[in-house]
Amino acid sequence: VTSRLIQAPSVVSASTVKMSSPGSSSKKSRGPRGMRRHLFEDYMSLREVSAGLKRGELVQGALRINPRRYHEAFISSPDGSADIFLDGLVARNRALNGDVVVVQPLPPERQKVLVENAVESEKSPPGHSSPGQGRHSSPDIIVEAQYSGDEEEVLIKMEAVSLQDKGTNVIPSKVVYITELKHSRAASGFIKFLPDKTFALFSPVDHRVPRVNVPLTDCPADFNTRPGDYTNTLFICGITHWPADSTFAEGRLAKSLGQAGEIDPETEGILAEYDVDCSEFPAESLACLPQNLPWTIPAEELAKRRDLRQECIFTIDPATARDLDDALSCKQLPDGNFEVGVHIADVSYFVEEGSALDLVASRRATSVYLVQKVVPMLPRLLCEELCSLNPQADRLTFSVIWTLSPEGKILSEWFGRSVICSCVKLSYDHAQSLIDAPDKGFSTEELPPCAPAHPIRHIHQAVLHLHALAKHLRAQRFEGGALRLDQMKLAFCLNADTGLPQGCYVYQYRDSNKLVEEFMLLANMAVAQHVYRWSPRLALLRRHPPPQGRMMDVLQELCQQMGLHMDLSSSGALHKSLNETVGKDQYSAARKEVLTHLCSRPMQMAVYFCAGILQDEKLFRHYALNVPLYTHFTSPIRRYADLIVHRLLAASLKCGPRLCLTDEEVQKQASHCNDKKTASKRVQELSADLFFSVFVRECGPLDSEAMVMGMLDKAFDVLVLSYGVQKRIYCNAIEGLQSFQFRKVGKRPEMTLIWAAEDQEQKPVRQEISLFSLLHVHCTAILTKKCARTHTHLPTQMQRHSNSAQY
């Protein structure tokens, strides 16, 4: 439970949760005379664990609990050859989702092989909720985010399994030690009155978290007499203890959130569950910032920097952005080449290593973007004022400046601290207008206010030059073997007074987005090379491992059986196949989305790491970008990893303080950034799910075409084309469906839906569906006791036979 939510004295953070902790001994199982036996085994001692890991008898990894079948959990084996399977609550031994655990394989007589569909149920796209499971859906989807999002590459790992013969081979095991309690031990949920008990039962929305006994004294004063008043009230609970003899944990209620299904309480619950610190910044951290406002750059600091204030430099961001951390410049040289600059806010000037503000930023590690707001990594004074590259204001920056040929070839590059004065704040829409009308003379009314020294025509020409260079750079990247896995992204229009969604649309990724992305990638790659050359020991880099080979083999077999000519031999080949296989009709974007979903499943996650810890340079590569070295440098306002890279760059150029870091410390912070980045991405997805549910509730029901993108034995997943969301349809919940039959032809899944005839004298109607089938779906919002969720189903009468368009 985050500090802001700790109301009751006994509510504690994850780091102090008592669960018969590793290395301690629980009381032994009680005798037969009516005494309770322990459900959970004692944890091994640290000495036993260390010895077992060295001998290869034990395996360590992060626990993944299936959000739909919460009795199933997995960790990946070290060599990726098989998934290690934990069957049931007892096998998990009180570990929660995300915890780093040590597991021991069960004896051969207790091992079993799961059928492929059992594991397939774990691998489903986000945005689904099975009946009774509330808003929580599978966190696993792979996407190369747009630049306006959080990343330029693949983010989240899909579950990987070893496929042998016709089944899915897994290694059944049990948890014998919890190395690190990654889960927050906090959850949102509902309380139930238990007659004649001194405690109430807390039922988490997320079924991967156990039910919790909480003292009645933590409940509202009238809960005993009017428990029905709180049936639909969300609470936050923190687990404090999990006895070895009970399937129920023990905990304390932290606070009441409000009514389930409403945006504010649901959002607060999401933030608490994923341990997002949204409290006010401590006074000691704010004291690290300039106190005399408005602040001006000291003359002695100006003297140390390259003065670029007279250059035509501008920002391109989403229209609503207030933390502007990157700017661009471009001017043509007399010889026909171009001087191009990427200028990044110099956050490290204000956030000194080891300061109170630095400690807060390192713990938060990232800004968290929700639909309606941002939870910043740094105080707003710094994010939106001191470091934000606002127009016509002097700002401190770190710049990378290249000389580029008209074809985008790098002729020279320069790194250094600088000072700029942005001449205009362009939105992506403004930049796109300039790109779309290269010969138009824009008036002052059509663009935001510009600095007098740089008329609109100069800015227009600079944007056109950047666009032309970006096209060359992009073509070179993909010709060199880069991969982009796009995913449809839902954006919302919010009511200014109520904050409720009044419209939504699929976000369009256009040339203006690509322009910015291309130069941010170029800067990140250039800084990665420079920092690693300077310090192979301390360099903080970002790697993306290649996909799981066995799952790629299975995918290749599926594609062949479906008549899809996909080359999966490399990232570049995969990118080319994705763009050539989908066709050119009105459904090509949907087919590409489905193919991207299929191709994402074998992918691994991109992670930060310290070069001195990993050492083997072959493991440094970024698979999606197909480059040997990559890092994050361009967003220090919202990513702590970038701030570390800025400090490394400053030290390498001898324009900053000497670093007091070891490779172990860099690696520890890198791991923390990975955890927080994953949580941030999940919170962002859940926020979008919540707002879509509210939008459907307020403006629905909604009808749309949809394309089948995945199939299980009793359900299938669809991409709702009008809104770009992915939903699951359960066959046993389809009104008017008489029966259904699931089968696999090789690796290709197929299903027959048998509809009851409208006229008793007619025969039932058969409907065949498989991947890429087109259907009509009906989306409604349902407010259940568990929370608001979106329900997607097939209409009983509408377009039953619309699956004829097969791919």
Side-chain angles (χ1 to χ4, degrees):
V1 181
T2 60
S3 58
R4 187 178 64 82
L5 295 175
I6 297 178
Q7 305 291 329
S10 299
V11 177
V12 296
S13 65
S15 60
T16 57
V17 173
K18 297 181 291 183
M19 302 188 308
S20 301
S21 58
S24 67
S25 296
S26 304
K27 294 179 180 179
K28 298 300 179 183
S29 300
R30 302 173 185 177
R33 295 186 178 182
M35 302 189 71
R36 298 174 66 181
R37 296 179 59 83
H38 283 188
L39 293 171
F40 302 108
E41 294 185 12
D42 294 345
Y43 295 115
M44 286 185 176
S45 68
L46 181 59
R47 184 176 181 179
E48 291 171 319
V49 167
S50 299
L53 289 172
K54 288 180 180 178
R55 292 193 299 266
E57 298 170 355
L58 305 176
V59 177
Q60 180 172 283
L63 185 69
R64 313 185 310 264
I65 302 176
N66 188 336
R68 288 182 179 78
R69 298 185 180 185
Y70 51 89
H71 63 279
E72 298 177 357
F74 303 83
I75 73 168
S76 297
S77 63
D79 61 0
S81 62
D83 252 17
I84 295 170
F85 173 61
L86 297 104
D87 188 10
L89 188 69
V90 173
R92 294 206 297 268
N93 202 357
R94 293 160 287 176
L96 297 185
N97 191 61
D99 288 351
V100 179
V101 298
V102 176
V103 300
Q104 180 183 53
L106 296 176
E109 62 269 18
R110 294 180 61 190
Q111 294 196 9
K112 63 180 179 179
V113 175
L114 296 182
V115 297
E116 187 170 356
N117 283 341
V119 179
E120 283 291 327
S121 67
E122 185 190 24
K123 308 175 192 344
S124 47
H128 312 312
S129 295
S130 57
Q133 286 205 227
R135 60 169 145 74
H136 285 267
S137 56
S138 169
D140 301 315
I141 184 68
I142 190 166
V143 15
E144 185 182 2
Q146 318 305 348
Y147 178 70
S148 57
D150 268 347
E151 298 144 275
E152 302 87 11
E153 67 275 341
V154 173
L155 291 178
I156 305 296
K157 176 188 177 185
M158 288 300 293
E159 310 301 351
V161 293
S162 170
L163 300 173
Q164 297 177 354
D165 302 322
K166 295 182 179 180
T168 301
N169 190 28
V170 294
I171 305 171
S173 304
K174 62 181 180 180
V175 171
V176 296
Y177 192 81
I178 301 178
T179 305
E180 189 174 0
L181 301 174
K182 292 280 191 178
H183 192 280
S184 67
R185 265 59 189 176
S188 64
F190 304 85
I191 54 175
K192 179 181 179 181
F193 181 72
L194 302 175
D196 303 321
K197 299 291 184 182
T198 60
F199 53 86
L201 181 64
F202 174 83
S203 297
V205 170
D206 186 351
H207 285 193
R208 296 172 295 182
V209 179
R211 287 177 290 177
V212 185
N213 292 329
V214 296
L216 280 176
T217 53
D218 285 359
C219 300
D222 60 346
F223 178 66
N224 288 16
T225 57
R226 302 177 62 87
D229 291 355
Y230 299 93
T231 300
N232 199 44
T233 302
L234 274 174
F235 291 85
I236 285 288
C237 176
I239 295 175
T240 58
H241 178 58
W242 194 344
D245 59 1
S246 176
T247 57
F248 296 165
E250 296 175 1
R252 302 296 300 269
L253 288 185
K255 67 182 298 185
S256 169
L257 297 177
Q259 292 298 297
E262 299 302 319
I263 287 175
D264 287 344
E266 291 279 358
T267 297
E268 194 170 350
I270 292 170
L271 294 173
E273 289 174 35
Y274 285 87
D275 199 20
V276 176
D277 183 0
C278 47
S279 62
E280 296 297 324
F281 284 86
E284 57 269 25
S285 66
L286 296 177
C288 299
L289 296 175
Q291 302 300 303
N292 296 323
L293 302 174
W295 179 81
T296 56
I297 302 172
E300 59 271 22
E301 186 61 32
L302 281 175
K304 299 175 184 176
R305 295 173 176 260
R306 183 169 173 175
D307 193 340
L308 302 172
R309 287 177 291 177
Q310 303 307 313
E311 300 293 330
C312 180
I313 297 175
F314 47 86
T315 59
I316 304 176
D317 287 280
T320 56
R322 293 190 292 181
D323 51 348
L324 314 179
D325 52 11
D326 59 86
L328 294 164
S329 62
C330 180
K331 64 180 180 182
Q332 191 163 22
L333 302 174
D335 61 3
N337 294 321
F338 294 90
E339 183 181 274
V340 175
V342 168
H343 314 279
I344 306 300
D346 190 357
V347 179
S348 62
Y349 174 84
F350 296 96
V351 185
E352 295 184 13
E353 183 183 355
S355 67
L357 180 56
D358 186 43
L359 293 177
V360 173
S362 68
R363 285 197 299 267
R364 295 194 176 201
T366 181
S367 295
V368 180
Y369 289 80
L370 298 100
V371 170
Q372 78 278 35
K373 65 179 181 179
V374 179
V375 181
M377 181 182 77
L378 294 165
R380 295 194 182 277
L381 172 62
L382 194 150
C383 292
E384 299 175 9
E385 292 296 330
L386 299 175
C387 283
S388 184
L389 307 183
N390 298 328
Q392 303 185 52
D394 292 355
R395 290 291 182 261
L396 300 178
T397 49
F398 236 125
S399 297
V400 185
I401 298 176
W402 301 272
T403 301
L404 298 178
S405 72
E407 295 75 33
K409 182 180 178 181
I410 298 176
L411 304 177
S412 68
E413 65 183 6
W414 177 88
F415 304 91
R417 281 184 143 149
S418 55
V419 56
I420 69 167
C421 183
S422 172
C423 60
V424 65
K425 175 188 174 182
L426 297 176
S427 69
Y428 284 115
D429 288 337
H430 293 137
Q432 191 62 45
S433 297
L434 297 174
I435 292 170
D436 291 340
D439 300 321
K440 178 180 176 181
F442 284 82
S443 66
T444 55
E445 292 77 19
E446 293 177 280
L447 292 175
C450 300
H454 301 287
I456 292 175
R457 67 178 184 277
H458 290 176
I459 297 167
H460 190 182
Q461 194 60 52
V463 170
L464 293 177
H465 287 322
L466 287 171
H467 172 56
L469 290 167
K471 288 197 295 184
H472 286 296
L473 292 171
R474 187 177 180 85
Q476 291 168 19
R477 278 203 308 116
F478 290 120
E479 287 170 7
L483 164 68
R484 184 180 182 91
L485 293 173
D486 286 314
Q487 185 197 21
M488 290 183 181
K489 177 184 175 183
L490 188 63
F492 295 89
C493 299
L494 304 183
N495 184 290
D497 297 323
T498 65
L500 294 175
Q502 59 186 16
C504 62
Y505 57 94
V506 176
Y507 184 81
Q508 297 298 311
Y509 185 66
R510 297 174 295 176
D511 287 337
S512 55
N513 302 85
K514 296 174 184 177
L515 181 159
V516 175
E517 179 188 52
E518 225 38 67
F519 288 103
M520 298 305 115
L521 289 173
L522 192 65
N524 286 335
M525 290 185 282
V527 171
Q529 294 277 355
H530 179 89
V531 170
Y532 182 64
R533 283 196 302 267
W534 172 71
S535 179
R537 182 178 64 85
L538 289 180
L540 176 65
L541 302 174
R542 188 163 174 81
R543 69 189 184 96
H544 180 215
Q548 297 282 350
R550 291 179 180 270
M551 287 203 73
M552 290 294 275
D553 293 340
V554 173
L555 176 60
Q556 185 74 74
E557 185 178 349
L558 171 64
C559 290
Q560 290 173 352
Q561 292 179 5
M562 295 191 65
L564 300 173
H565 303 291
M566 298 285 291
D567 185 350
L568 310 180
S569 60
S570 67
S571 55
L574 174 55
H575 179 84
K576 186 177 180 182
S577 294
L578 279 172
N579 287 280
E580 291 180 349
T581 308
V582 296
K584 295 182 179 180
D585 61 10
Q586 61 178 321
Y587 297 108
S588 59
R591 293 194 195 98
K592 185 175 180 180
E593 182 82 359
V594 173
L595 276 174
T596 297
H597 165 70
L598 294 173
C599 294
S600 72
R601 293 170 58 187
M603 297 294 172
Q604 302 194 69
M605 64 191 294
V607 293
Y608 298 113
F609 71 101
C610 179
I613 296 296
L614 198 57
Q615 295 180 344
D616 185 358
E617 288 192 19
K618 293 180 181 177
L619 301 177
F620 292 10
R621 287 196 67 84
H622 196 291
Y623 172 80
L625 295 174
N626 196 34
V627 293
L629 296 172
Y630 188 68
T631 194
H632 275 166
F633 159 77
T634 54
S635 294
I637 287 179
R638 58 189 177 91
R639 292 189 303 224
Y640 191 78
D642 302 53
L643 182 53
I644 295 177
V645 171
H646 275 232
R647 290 172 179 160
L648 291 168
L649 182 58
S652 74
L653 299 171
K654 296 182 173 56
C655 61
R658 184 174 178 271
L659 290 179
C660 302
L661 287 173
T662 65
D663 49 5
E664 289 85 2
E665 290 170 334
V666 174
Q667 180 59 37
K668 183 178 180 180
Q669 186 63 51
S671 297
H672 181 66
C673 287
N674 290 330
D675 294 337
K676 287 298 185 179
K677 194 172 186 68
T678 299
S680 171
K681 182 63 179 175
R682 186 64 188 134
V683 167
Q684 186 177 352
E685 292 171 349
L686 288 172
S687 178
D689 288 346
L690 170 62
F691 271 78
F692 184 67
S693 296
V694 173
F695 173 70
V696 174
R697 184 185 71 195
E698 298 295 321
C699 305
L702 306 175
D703 294 320
S704 173
E705 278 192 300
M707 183 172 284
V708 177
M709 63 185 308
M711 305 186 76
L712 304 175
D713 55 346
K714 297 179 181 179
F716 52 92
D717 300 321
V718 297
L719 172 68
V720 183
L721 302 188
S722 298
Y723 304 99
V725 297
Q726 302 168 14
K727 294 294 175 184
R728 174 160 292 179
I729 296 176
Y730 293 88
C731 295
N732 57 10
I734 301 175
E735 184 181 349
L737 190 65
Q738 195 175 75
S739 62
F740 59 91
Q741 300 168 356
F742 174 82
R743 60 192 174 278
K744 275 199 170 183
V745 181
K747 298 295 181 183
R748 176 186 174 119
E750 296 178 348
M751 185 178 285
T752 301
L753 305 179
I754 311 295
W755 295 89
E758 297 178 15
D759 190 327
Q760 292 184 352
E761 296 181 358
Q762 296 178 336
K763 293 182 179 180
V765 178
R766 297 172 62 89
Q767 182 178 12
E768 306 292 339
I769 64 172
S770 61
L771 296 179
F772 302 103
S773 291
L774 285 171
L775 305 167
H776 278 79
V777 296
H778 189 67
C779 298
T780 57
I782 300 175
L783 183 64
T784 69
K785 181 181 176 181
K786 290 303 179 187
C787 74
R789 61 184 174 87
T790 307
H791 176 59
T792 306
H793 61 277
L794 298 181
T796 55
Q797 302 296 332
M798 187 180 69
Q799 301 290 342
R800 280 188 187 167
H801 318 300
S802 61
N803 68 303
S804 56
Q806 299 281 340
Y807 182 63

